[in-house]
Each structure stands twice: as structure tokens, then as C-alpha cells.
Amino acid sequence: MPGFEIFDDTEKQQVQEVMEKGFTFRYNFDGMRNDVWKARELEGMICDTLKVKHTHLVSSGTAALSTALTASGIGAGDKVIVPPFTFVASVEAIVLAGAVPIFSEIDKTLTLSPEGILETLKKHQDIKAINFVHMCGSMGKMDEIKAICDQHNIVLLEDACQATGATYKGQALGTIGHVGTLSFDSVKTISCGEGGAVLTNDTTIYDFAHQYSDHGHDHIGMDRGAESHPIMGANYRISEMNAAVGVAQWKKLDRILDTQRRNKKALKDALANYSEVSFRVIPDEAGDNAGFLSIILPTEERTQEVVKALGEQGVAGVFYWYANNWHYLKNWHHIHQMKGAAKLPIDLIADRPDYTQISTPKSDDIMSRTLSMLINLSWSEEQINERIAAFAKVFR
Ligand SMILES: *Cc1c(COP(=O)(O)O)cnc(C)c1O
């Protein structure tokens, strides 16, 4: 997954151009910047590649989630479905928006299941949005998910922070629903150091997104500060230096995807020889970003054994999400307690769920048996063969 593995002179040259010719701020300063507009340039590139009408860059994937929620009308007291297997930012963004996270089950796609969502809709008729997270580079059953959202008038937000460049039936993940997000943090498929993007084909959502992420400025005209402020907002702007890194990285997206897909295929073909190994379900295999290879084993005990054995064989980059505290509900004690630095908007909601009592047994069953292996870009053929040899010692 990590684009940082192939940083070279092109990223440096891009940043240097900002420092020598351009200006650090993404808006205005037309007289000083010699027509260097890195954030705009990267937004244009993303729109072209992903075939989406609007891209708005922000300072992180987390900022993109906050921006996407508010720009699509999700705020105080609104209920938002979220998976128990995700990065904590998915939940934090909902809580910080004043909204209420409602956990639904995942299936073997490792993303929210249509059955789980329908189950939740029976209990909560007033769901406003789904934060659908495309975990580990791949997608869920998007036709069914989208049909449910359309039928129930629910905002479909696609968190594609881990799935840049992935597609479902030819459509880029993050562009299928009403609004989508990407992350360009230091360990993602494309890295700007820190950065993120909001994707949408809806011009109203786009306008709220660029306004909200810059104190409500409407960005009309060339006189910074003299624009109108239709709404209040925050500062989630990306800097021109970060966007410049992204311009160089985005040009490598095809190369990154090709390499990941080739490396992943070699490992997956090798693992297919072991009867105890099954694979994460990928509804459109051709569209997988291939940043991870996720396998599902028969039992929790066997999975723990395999994690240990892979470690002993020196196989790095193996994630047992069920046991780590960043990616699975079971270990998010601060979220069970809804613990903020200060009182949270959700504390004012009398009938909010008791998060110490939330359970997602179907997801527990799958995640307790799931391992993901990071696919690196820099592996030599020899290193891949070493991994395959290690698999032979570990799997049955
Ligand atoms: C990384 C990530 C985020 C947050 O992105 P940042 O740029 O690190 O803020 C959100 N959701 C998912 C699924 C992620 O993997």
C-alpha cells in the first residue's frame, strides 16, 4: 500500500517548485505565485483519473470525513451506520460532527454487509447516512448497498481512504455514493505526507465542502478575505507543499497498482495451495487496489497460531486486526466509554446507544479469523519467493 516506498526526485522537484516559484497557500496570492497551483493541479488530476466531477483536497483523510459528513447534511443527532472494522477516524468523525454512530455487521468482504445494514434499519428507522468503509484496498457488495441507500433515502458516504485507485465494475471507489473520501497520509497508497480528498459528483456537496474546509469562504473572486461567508467552517486546508508531493505521487498511481496486483497475485496463488486458507470475498476482483492480501482461517485458535508462526518465520507486515486497538471495535475502550477531552455533543442525547453494550458477533467471528498482509512495492522476486517458502512452513 505505501506510496512512500517509491519517493524519488520527482516529489522533491515538485516541492521545490512551490518554494522557489509558487506560494505556500492554495488560494489567491495570484501576483506572487507565477501561476503555480499545486492543489488545483492535483484536484484536476484526481477528477480525470477517477472520473468524478469534483475533488476537493483537505489536510487529512480524517478532515475529509468530517467535511464530507457536514457537506452532505449530516450533523447534530443524525444517526450514521459505521462498521466495527475500520480505522478509528471513521467513528471519531461521526462523533465530532455531533452525530451518532450506529455499528452494523460486516461480512467476508470485510466491509458492511447488506444483511447487517437491513437488520440495523429495522431497529433504527431514522438512519441518515452510511459511512461505508472500503477496508484494505477492496470493496463491498456495492450494487446492493447502493440500492438500499436509494430505497431508504440514505446518504452513502464511501470512505475509500485505504482504496485509492480501486474500482467496482469500472467505477472508482469513492465516486459511487453521494460523497467519498481518500487519505494521502504517510502510509497510504498515495502519500502527500499528510492530506486527504473529498470526491463528489454533486455540486451542492462540493460547494459546502470547499467552504466548510476553509472557514466558510465562498472562494469567488481573487481578493482573499473579501469573499462572502455563506456558512461557518473550520481550517482543513491542504498546503501547496503537501499537494505538490501528491502531484508527483499521483503520476505513479498506475505503476503502484500494477506492482501491488502483481505481487499480491504471486502470494495469493501460493496460498491457494493450502486447504485451511480462504480469501476475503472481493465482489469485483479486477478492481482490487491490492494493497493488502486478506485471508480467513478456520478458527480463532489456529489464526493466533499462524500469526505467531509467521512472526517466527520473519514475515513482516501481517495484521491481526482483531487484536489491535486501532482497527476493531472490540479494543476501542475510549469509544465504548465515548471519552472525549471534554463533554461531547452525543452526551446531550438522552437515548443514545450505550456503547459499552454494543456487540457485533458476526463481525467478531470473521475478524477473529482474518489476517491481512501488507503488499509492498519494493519487494524483489527473491523476497516474494522467501515469503512463499515461509508460507510452506506455516500453512497446512
Ligand atoms: C487512514 C484512514 C483514515 C484517516 O486518514 P488520515 O489521512 O490518516 O486522517 C480514515 N479512514 C480509513 C479507513 C483510513 O484507513
PDB file of all heavy atoms in Angstrom, residues 371-386:
ATOM      1  N   LEU A 371      -6.554 -12.425   8.772  1.00  0.00           N
ATOM      2  CA  LEU A 371      -5.227 -11.790   8.772  1.00  0.00           C
ATOM      3  C   LEU A 371      -5.061 -11.029   7.470  1.00  0.00           C
ATOM      4  O   LEU A 371      -5.469 -11.506   6.417  1.00  0.00           O
ATOM      5  CB  LEU A 371      -4.116 -12.842   8.801  1.00  0.00           C
ATOM      6  CG  LEU A 371      -4.006 -13.747  10.013  1.00  0.00           C
ATOM      7  CD1 LEU A 371      -2.815 -14.684   9.825  1.00  0.00           C
ATOM      8  CD2 LEU A 371      -3.821 -12.895  11.256  1.00  0.00           C
ATOM      9  N   SER A 372      -4.446  -9.853   7.539  1.00  0.00           N
ATOM     10  CA  SER A 372      -4.124  -9.122   6.312  1.00  0.00           C
ATOM     11  C   SER A 372      -2.617  -8.965   6.218  1.00  0.00           C
ATOM     12  O   SER A 372      -1.954  -8.677   7.208  1.00  0.00           O
ATOM     13  CB  SER A 372      -4.767  -7.735   6.319  1.00  0.00           C
ATOM     14  OG  SER A 372      -6.172  -7.847   6.437  1.00  0.00           O
ATOM     15  N   MET A 373      -2.140  -9.160   5.015  1.00  0.00           N
ATOM     16  CA  MET A 373      -0.694  -8.962   4.785  1.00  0.00           C
ATOM     17  C   MET A 373      -0.524  -7.750   3.890  1.00  0.00           C
ATOM     18  O   MET A 373      -1.151  -7.651   2.833  1.00  0.00           O
ATOM     19  CB  MET A 373      -0.109 -10.186   4.084  1.00  0.00           C
ATOM     20  CG  MET A 373      -0.307 -11.456   4.875  1.00  0.00           C
ATOM     21  SD  MET A 373       0.444 -12.840   4.026  1.00  0.00           S
ATOM     22  CE  MET A 373      -0.403 -14.190   4.850  1.00  0.00           C
ATOM     23  N   LEU A 374       0.329  -6.856   4.337  1.00  0.00           N
ATOM     24  CA  LEU A 374       0.629  -5.659   3.553  1.00  0.00           C
ATOM     25  C   LEU A 374       1.398  -6.066   2.299  1.00  0.00           C
ATOM     26  O   LEU A 374       2.315  -6.879   2.393  1.00  0.00           O
ATOM     27  CB  LEU A 374       1.476  -4.716   4.409  1.00  0.00           C
ATOM     28  CG  LEU A 374       1.692  -3.311   3.870  1.00  0.00           C
ATOM     29  CD1 LEU A 374       0.374  -2.548   3.798  1.00  0.00           C
ATOM     30  CD2 LEU A 374       2.670  -2.551   4.774  1.00  0.00           C
ATOM     31  N   ILE A 375       0.990  -5.532   1.158  1.00  0.00           N
ATOM     32  CA  ILE A 375       1.715  -5.807  -0.084  1.00  0.00           C
ATOM     33  C   ILE A 375       2.678  -4.639  -0.342  1.00  0.00           C
ATOM     34  O   ILE A 375       2.234  -3.495  -0.510  1.00  0.00           O
ATOM     35  CB  ILE A 375       0.739  -5.963  -1.278  1.00  0.00           C
ATOM     36  CG1 ILE A 375      -0.279  -7.094  -1.014  1.00  0.00           C
ATOM     37  CG2 ILE A 375       1.512  -6.193  -2.579  1.00  0.00           C
ATOM     38  CD1 ILE A 375       0.308  -8.482  -0.871  1.00  0.00           C
ATOM     39  N   ASN A 376       3.952  -4.934  -0.381  1.00  0.00           N
ATOM     40  CA  ASN A 376       4.939  -3.872  -0.598  1.00  0.00           C
ATOM     41  C   ASN A 376       5.236  -3.672  -2.078  1.00  0.00           C
ATOM     42  O   ASN A 376       5.071  -4.586  -2.886  1.00  0.00           O
ATOM     43  CB  ASN A 376       6.232  -4.211   0.146  1.00  0.00           C
ATOM     44  CG  ASN A 376       6.111  -3.932   1.625  1.00  0.00           C
ATOM     45  OD1 ASN A 376       5.470  -4.684   2.336  1.00  0.00           O
ATOM     46  ND2 ASN A 376       6.693  -2.848   2.085  1.00  0.00           N
ATOM     47  N   LEU A 377       5.687  -2.455  -2.394  1.00  0.00           N
ATOM     48  CA  LEU A 377       6.033  -2.122  -3.780  1.00  0.00           C
ATOM     49  C   LEU A 377       7.479  -2.499  -4.086  1.00  0.00           C
ATOM     50  O   LEU A 377       7.830  -2.759  -5.231  1.00  0.00           O
ATOM     51  CB  LEU A 377       5.866  -0.614  -4.007  1.00  0.00           C
ATOM     52  CG  LEU A 377       4.453  -0.085  -3.806  1.00  0.00           C
ATOM     53  CD1 LEU A 377       4.453   1.445  -3.840  1.00  0.00           C
ATOM     54  CD2 LEU A 377       3.531  -0.634  -4.883  1.00  0.00           C
ATOM     55  N   SER A 378       8.300  -2.504  -3.039  1.00  0.00           N
ATOM     56  CA  SER A 378       9.749  -2.610  -3.250  1.00  0.00           C
ATOM     57  C   SER A 378      10.275  -4.044  -3.199  1.00  0.00           C
ATOM     58  O   SER A 378      11.468  -4.268  -3.316  1.00  0.00           O
ATOM     59  CB  SER A 378      10.462  -1.766  -2.188  1.00  0.00           C
ATOM     60  OG  SER A 378       9.991  -2.151  -0.906  1.00  0.00           O
ATOM     61  N   TRP A 379       9.370  -5.020  -3.036  1.00  0.00           N
ATOM     62  CA  TRP A 379       9.827  -6.403  -2.952  1.00  0.00           C
ATOM     63  C   TRP A 379      10.542  -6.838  -4.227  1.00  0.00           C
ATOM     64  O   TRP A 379      10.059  -6.592  -5.339  1.00  0.00           O
ATOM     65  CB  TRP A 379       8.629  -7.350  -2.767  1.00  0.00           C
ATOM     66  CG  TRP A 379       8.099  -7.429  -1.376  1.00  0.00           C
ATOM     67  CD1 TRP A 379       8.771  -7.147  -0.225  1.00  0.00           C
ATOM     68  CD2 TRP A 379       6.776  -7.841  -0.990  1.00  0.00           C
ATOM     69  NE1 TRP A 379       7.947  -7.348   0.856  1.00  0.00           N
ATOM     70  CE2 TRP A 379       6.719  -7.777   0.416  1.00  0.00           C
ATOM     71  CE3 TRP A 379       5.648  -8.258  -1.689  1.00  0.00           C
ATOM     72  CZ2 TRP A 379       5.566  -8.105   1.137  1.00  0.00           C
ATOM     73  CZ3 TRP A 379       4.505  -8.591  -0.985  1.00  0.00           C
ATOM     74  CH2 TRP A 379       4.469  -8.506   0.420  1.00  0.00           C
ATOM     75  N   SER A 380      11.658  -7.559  -4.028  1.00  0.00           N
ATOM     76  CA  SER A 380      12.304  -8.214  -5.168  1.00  0.00           C
ATOM     77  C   SER A 380      11.624  -9.572  -5.347  1.00  0.00           C
ATOM     78  O   SER A 380      10.914 -10.034  -4.446  1.00  0.00           O
ATOM     79  CB  SER A 380      13.791  -8.413  -4.879  1.00  0.00           C
ATOM     80  OG  SER A 380      13.920  -9.277  -3.753  1.00  0.00           O
ATOM     81  N   GLU A 381      11.911 -10.194  -6.509  1.00  0.00           N
ATOM     82  CA  GLU A 381      11.339 -11.517  -6.754  1.00  0.00           C
ATOM     83  C   GLU A 381      11.816 -12.498  -5.669  1.00  0.00           C
ATOM     84  O   GLU A 381      11.053 -13.345  -5.202  1.00  0.00           O
ATOM     85  CB  GLU A 381      11.771 -12.005  -8.131  1.00  0.00           C
ATOM     86  CG  GLU A 381      10.742 -12.913  -8.766  1.00  0.00           C
ATOM     87  CD  GLU A 381      11.085 -13.195 -10.217  1.00  0.00           C
ATOM     88  OE1 GLU A 381      11.300 -12.220 -10.960  1.00  0.00           O
ATOM     89  OE2 GLU A 381      11.156 -14.396 -10.561  1.00  0.00           O
ATOM     90  N   GLU A 382      13.070 -12.304  -5.272  1.00  0.00           N
ATOM     91  CA  GLU A 382      13.652 -13.164  -4.238  1.00  0.00           C
ATOM     92  C   GLU A 382      12.884 -13.026  -2.906  1.00  0.00           C
ATOM     93  O   GLU A 382      12.589 -14.017  -2.243  1.00  0.00           O
ATOM     94  CB  GLU A 382      15.108 -12.760  -4.059  1.00  0.00           C
ATOM     95  CG  GLU A 382      15.945 -13.777  -3.335  1.00  0.00           C
ATOM     96  CD  GLU A 382      17.359 -13.230  -3.090  1.00  0.00           C
ATOM     97  OE1 GLU A 382      17.807 -12.342  -3.859  1.00  0.00           O
ATOM     98  OE2 GLU A 382      17.972 -13.673  -2.104  1.00  0.00           O
ATOM     99  N   GLN A 383      12.571 -11.791  -2.547  1.00  0.00           N
ATOM    100  CA  GLN A 383      11.842 -11.573  -1.293  1.00  0.00           C
ATOM    101  C   GLN A 383      10.451 -12.206  -1.342  1.00  0.00           C
ATOM    102  O   GLN A 383       9.960 -12.726  -0.345  1.00  0.00           O
ATOM    103  CB  GLN A 383      11.756 -10.079  -0.986  1.00  0.00           C
ATOM    104  CG  GLN A 383      13.065  -9.511  -0.452  1.00  0.00           C
ATOM    105  CD  GLN A 383      13.037  -8.000  -0.357  1.00  0.00           C
ATOM    106  OE1 GLN A 383      12.644  -7.310  -1.311  1.00  0.00           O
ATOM    107  NE2 GLN A 383      13.425  -7.467   0.785  1.00  0.00           N
ATOM    108  N   ILE A 384       9.819 -12.127  -2.511  1.00  0.00           N
ATOM    109  CA  ILE A 384       8.499 -12.754  -2.652  1.00  0.00           C
ATOM    110  C   ILE A 384       8.636 -14.277  -2.503  1.00  0.00           C
ATOM    111  O   ILE A 384       7.852 -14.917  -1.804  1.00  0.00           O
ATOM    112  CB  ILE A 384       7.856 -12.363  -3.997  1.00  0.00           C
ATOM    113  CG1 ILE A 384       7.510 -10.870  -3.968  1.00  0.00           C
ATOM    114  CG2 ILE A 384       6.622 -13.207  -4.299  1.00  0.00           C
ATOM    115  CD1 ILE A 384       6.961 -10.307  -5.251  1.00  0.00           C
ATOM    116  N   ASN A 385       9.684 -14.817  -3.115  1.00  0.00           N
ATOM    117  CA  ASN A 385       9.894 -16.268  -3.010  1.00  0.00           C
ATOM    118  C   ASN A 385      10.207 -16.706  -1.581  1.00  0.00           C
ATOM    119  O   ASN A 385       9.807 -17.790  -1.160  1.00  0.00           O
ATOM    120  CB  ASN A 385      10.977 -16.723  -3.986  1.00  0.00           C
ATOM    121  CG  ASN A 385      10.459 -16.666  -5.425  1.00  0.00           C
ATOM    122  OD1 ASN A 385       9.249 -16.802  -5.659  1.00  0.00           O
ATOM    123  ND2 ASN A 385      11.346 -16.435  -6.371  1.00  0.00           N
ATOM    124  N   GLU A 386      10.907 -15.846  -0.840  1.00  0.00           N
ATOM    125  CA  GLU A 386      11.181 -16.150   0.575  1.00  0.00           C
ATOM    126  C   GLU A 386       9.869 -16.229   1.370  1.00  0.00           C
ATOM    127  O   GLU A 386       9.695 -17.094   2.221  1.00  0.00           O
ATOM    128  CB  GLU A 386      12.070 -15.070   1.193  1.00  0.00           C
ATOM    129  CG  GLU A 386      13.556 -15.257   0.901  1.00  0.00           C
ATOM    130  CD  GLU A 386      14.375 -14.008   1.234  1.00  0.00           C
ATOM    131  OE1 GLU A 386      13.863 -13.131   1.974  1.00  0.00           O
ATOM    132  OE2 GLU A 386      15.511 -13.914   0.740  1.00  0.00           O
TER     133      GLU A 386
END
